[in-house]
Amino acid sequence: MNIAELKKLPVGIENFEEIRTDEYYYVDKTAMIKDFLHRRGKVNLFTRPRRFGKSLNMSMLKYFFEIGCDKTLFDNLEISKEAALCERYMGKYPVVSITLKGINGADYATARSLMCSTIGNEAMRFQFLLNGNKLTDREKEQYRQLVKVDTSGTESFIMPDSVLMGSLKTLSVLLEKYYGKKVIVLIDEYDVPLAKANEQKYYDKMILLIRNIFEQVLKTNDSLYFAVLTGCLRVSKESIFTGLNNPSIFSITDEDCDSYFGFTDDEVRKMLEYYDLDDKYHVIKEWYDGYRFGDTDVYCPWDVINYVNKLLVKRTLPPQDYWSNTSSNDVVRRFIEKVGDGLTKGEIEMLVAGETVTKEIHEDLTYNRLYDSIDNIWSVLFTTGYLTHRGTLGDRKYQLTIPNMEIRNIFKSQIMTMFKRNVEKDGDTLRAFCEALKTGNAAEVEKLFTDYLEKTISIRDTFVRKPTKENFYHGILLGILGFKNGWFIKSNRESGVSHS
């Protein structure tokens, strides 16, 4: 296999045009366009965990619908087989497309400024609105307010609240006037500003801003043809979508368009065949598969693309954690800390052993209430991809499980981190244990070690059955001894012995 002759893997690339024009491998998701158009509402929300292809699919929609699009981008893809649909929709609409994933300010003023820049930069794509006489002088002035830049210091877009809150509506109204066609609005990662605002304690201000922007562009906007939003969570209608008439929701529990985010088993097999990596199928399935969206089982595409890309350089490379390294995994820590407060050790032990736990899931959430109760945290773990389901019992009750080895490692890591913190706090027991170990007092070592095990969460090795398995007790022992100053700890994988 000559790697130089193969298509590149699009690691971190979310621009559809770039992938299609620069010889990248593309997993064809264009059939989503047909299914979506048959099922869409006026306002449509897709909720999926991070790193499951939301941004790339939004880019695909933009390049398909936008006036002046390069239609050759879709040659030989699934949607090109739908001649009538392409004739009716491809390249026929003005499109306003923004992503809010960069609205992550440490305070409200910074976040608001980033919002102005995000919308202002999108408005800059339409400077032709100032040309000709399709718009009145007053309408051209409205446009100029969207792209006005403060040049006194660092360049940034400046909009008063009245302009910012109506900015997307204003832009769509002007585009409809110019083209004589209603406008498609795409808003990617709509809930990121809310997550960041909640972390940094300016949630109330940010939700008011988002609510006002959305209400104007999505509710009181006669220039809107339809809108598509993506995010991790389905934020409560009462919190942000006030007044919208039944937005169409495509969540991880819905069957509509369920196979278009994430890779299906067939898509992974075809990729591995293309790169002559068929022998890696089982390990990739074990580590990165296991998610269930609607009625479809899917792999995390971020993980598959990253690992396959690495395998092309080093075929013997073992599986790595890719998805887990893109977030703080704070929700798992908060979940484990709820042991004894509505959560039992047994429930966590069942999950890390690959078993299921039946829980009621609420998909409508608000960021400022995510961690108020263990019931909410179960729902957050499910909607953000740390847990998936293996079936439903009705009444919003799902059989939840950890999807794969990669996510299991996140739980293991957080469990061990919590255990080590507790060991560090328990100085008297730690000193007694190390002294008993040093003097060879086997009975005392056994007693104190048993006490430690009773205080932590057991990680049974039944998640994956292999000839060689990890030793949980070995890990606990190393976790204890790691806090003894002056001791050199050497791990022996075969025997599980530690030396001092």
Side-chain angles (χ1 to χ4, degrees):
M1 177 180 64
N2 186 348
I3 295 179
E5 297 176 357
L6 296 174
K7 292 183 178 181
K8 299 169 290 187
L9 282 152
V11 177
I13 297 176
E14 300 172 335
N15 183 287
F16 179 78
E17 180 185 43
E18 183 178 357
I19 289 176
R20 293 291 292 159
T21 58
D22 200 17
E23 295 298 316
Y24 285 100
Y25 188 96
Y26 176 61
V27 175
D28 188 354
K29 297 294 185 179
T30 59
M32 172 188 170
I33 298 170
K34 175 186 175 182
D35 286 355
F36 167 71
L37 287 172
H38 287 166
R39 294 168 172 81
R40 71 170 182 85
K42 188 78 167 180
V43 178
N44 309 271
L45 171 62
F46 287 91
T47 59
R48 293 294 187 277
R50 56 192 166 82
R51 299 299 187 181
F52 271 83
K54 298 189 297 294
S55 296
L56 178 56
N57 279 349
M58 290 289 267
S59 179
M60 173 189 73
L61 293 177
K62 171 189 170 184
Y63 282 104
F64 181 84
F65 289 111
E66 188 163 48
I67 290 172
C69 72
D70 179 359
K71 297 182 180 181
T72 64
L73 295 176
F74 295 87
D75 286 352
N76 303 314
L77 297 179
E78 279 298 308
I79 194 61
S80 67
K81 299 175 183 177
E82 305 294 332
L85 184 146
C86 289
E87 177 62 27
R88 180 179 175 184
Y89 290 100
M90 185 185 288
K92 297 297 176 63
Y93 296 91
V95 176
V96 174
S97 176
I98 62 170
T99 177
L100 302 188
K101 67 174 62 177
I103 314 299
N104 56 2
D107 52 52
Y108 176 71
T110 303
R112 186 191 180 285
S113 178
L114 290 169
M115 183 71 78
C116 289
S117 294
T118 295
I119 295 174
N121 279 313
E122 175 63 4
M124 288 286 285
R125 291 203 304 126
F126 308 109
Q127 294 183 65
F128 56 80
L129 291 172
L130 295 174
N131 301 331
N133 57 6
K134 289 188 176 181
L135 301 186
T136 66
D137 289 343
R138 172 59 186 141
E139 288 166 337
K140 290 179 181 180
E141 180 56 32
Q142 285 183 298
Y143 174 76
R144 290 190 183 95
Q145 290 179 355
L146 302 181
V147 297
K148 185 177 181 181
V149 176
D150 178 9
T151 57
S152 60
T154 302
E155 279 200 0
S156 61
F157 291 90
I158 52 172
M159 301 181 201
D161 280 349
S162 59
V163 174
L164 177 57
M165 291 176 180
S167 55
L168 294 180
K169 178 179 179 179
T170 297
L171 192 54
S172 58
V173 168
L174 298 178
L175 286 168
E176 186 196 17
K177 176 77 177 291
Y178 186 90
Y179 284 112
K181 289 191 173 184
K182 291 188 182 297
V183 177
I184 294 171
V185 174
L186 307 176
I187 303 176
D188 189 33
E189 302 285 10
Y190 85 100
D191 57 338
V192 167
L194 299 178
K196 297 298 182 181
N198 188 52
E199 292 173 10
Q200 300 296 334
K201 313 302 182 188
Y202 57 90
Y203 182 80
D204 290 343
K205 290 182 178 179
M206 179 53 68
I207 202 162
L208 181 62
L209 176 62
I210 296 286
R211 183 188 298 146
N212 278 294
I213 292 174
F214 281 14
E215 182 169 320
Q216 291 205 42
V217 70
L218 303 178
K219 180 189 176 187
T220 60
N221 186 7
D222 292 335
S223 297
L224 179 67
Y225 183 40
F226 66 77
V228 182
L229 296 83
T230 71
C232 275
L233 296 185
R234 174 178 162 181
V235 177
S236 170
K237 180 178 178 181
E238 290 71 24
S239 172
I240 194 170
F241 296 118
T242 306
L244 287 184
N245 294 323
N246 300 318
S248 297
I249 307 294
F250 299 83
S251 76
I252 57 176
T253 61
D254 294 316
E255 296 174 18
D256 287 347
C257 301
D258 57 7
S259 65
Y260 300 123
F261 297 85
F263 292 164
T264 65
D265 194 72
D266 184 57
E267 289 166 344
V268 170
R269 286 182 181 273
K270 287 180 179 177
M271 179 185 290
L272 296 180
E273 180 182 359
Y274 177 80
Y275 291 105
D276 192 25
L277 292 169
D278 305 74
D279 57 308
K280 300 297 182 180
Y281 168 75
H282 292 292
V283 69
I284 287 175
K285 185 175 183 65
E286 176 182 273
W287 270 74
Y288 308 127
D289 189 19
Y291 299 93
R292 189 166 185 81
F293 297 161
D295 266 349
T296 301
D297 295 321
V298 294
Y299 296 68
C300 176
W302 173 253
D303 292 324
V304 174
I305 289 173
N306 273 277
Y307 187 43
V308 170
N309 191 51
K310 294 290 187 181
L311 287 172
L312 294 178
V313 178
K314 184 179 180 180
R315 195 181 183 93
T316 59
L317 184 74
Q320 309 289 309
D321 292 342
Y322 298 105
W323 187 85
S324 61
N325 291 332
T326 63
S327 177
S328 67
N329 304 311
D330 186 58
V331 62
V332 178
R333 175 184 64 80
R334 289 174 180 261
F335 175 68
I336 293 169
E337 288 175 349
K338 286 287 185 180
V339 169
D341 184 17
L343 175 68
T344 68
K345 282 173 54 178
E347 288 174 320
I348 297 183
E349 289 168 356
M350 289 173 68
L351 288 174
V352 295
E355 300 170 21
T356 62
V357 176
T358 300
K359 293 293 174 180
E360 185 174 309
I361 294 300
H362 301 272
E363 294 188 71
D364 281 330
L365 300 163
T366 57
Y367 273 97
N368 60 338
R369 294 288 182 265
L370 292 185
Y371 304 118
D372 282 5
S373 69
I374 186 60
D375 291 334
N376 281 3
I377 298 179
W378 280 108
S379 297
V380 175
L381 289 168
F382 175 60
T383 55
T384 55
Y386 290 97
L387 297 177
T388 190
H389 76 89
R390 294 290 178 260
T392 178
L393 304 178
D395 296 326
R396 298 186 297 191
K397 289 186 178 179
Y398 289 87
Q399 294 175 305
L400 304 180
T401 189
I402 294 174
N404 52 43
M405 286 294 291
E406 182 185 37
I407 304 303
R408 184 193 187 225
N409 283 346
I410 295 176
F411 280 83
K412 283 171 48 186
S413 175
Q414 292 296 326
I415 289 168
M416 288 304 299
T417 297
M418 183 182 72
F419 172 75
K420 289 176 181 179
R421 284 203 307 267
N422 292 339
V423 168
E424 191 174 16
K425 293 176 183 176
D426 193 3
D428 292 339
T429 304
L430 174 61
R431 283 189 293 272
F433 179 82
C434 291
E435 184 62 27
L437 192 65
K438 191 166 90 173
T439 59
N441 188 341
E444 185 67 5
V445 168
E446 182 177 358
K447 174 184 177 301
L448 292 172
F449 190 57
T450 300
D451 289 343
Y452 270 122
L453 291 177
E454 289 177 352
K455 293 177 183 178
T456 192
I457 297 161
S458 175
I459 301 175
R460 289 178 280 156
D461 293 325
T462 56
F463 192 94
V464 170
R465 302 185 182 282
K466 289 183 176 181
T468 303
K469 298 177 180 178
E470 63 182 331
N471 189 320
F472 171 66
Y473 306 103
H474 181 206
I476 290 291
L477 181 58
L478 292 177
I480 297 171
L481 298 181
F483 288 102
K484 183 63 177 175
N485 291 331
W487 285 28
F488 171 68
I489 311 300
K490 180 180 178 182
S491 172
N492 185 315
R493 285 181 177 268
E494 286 71 37
S495 65
V497 175
S498 297
H499 305 281
S500 63

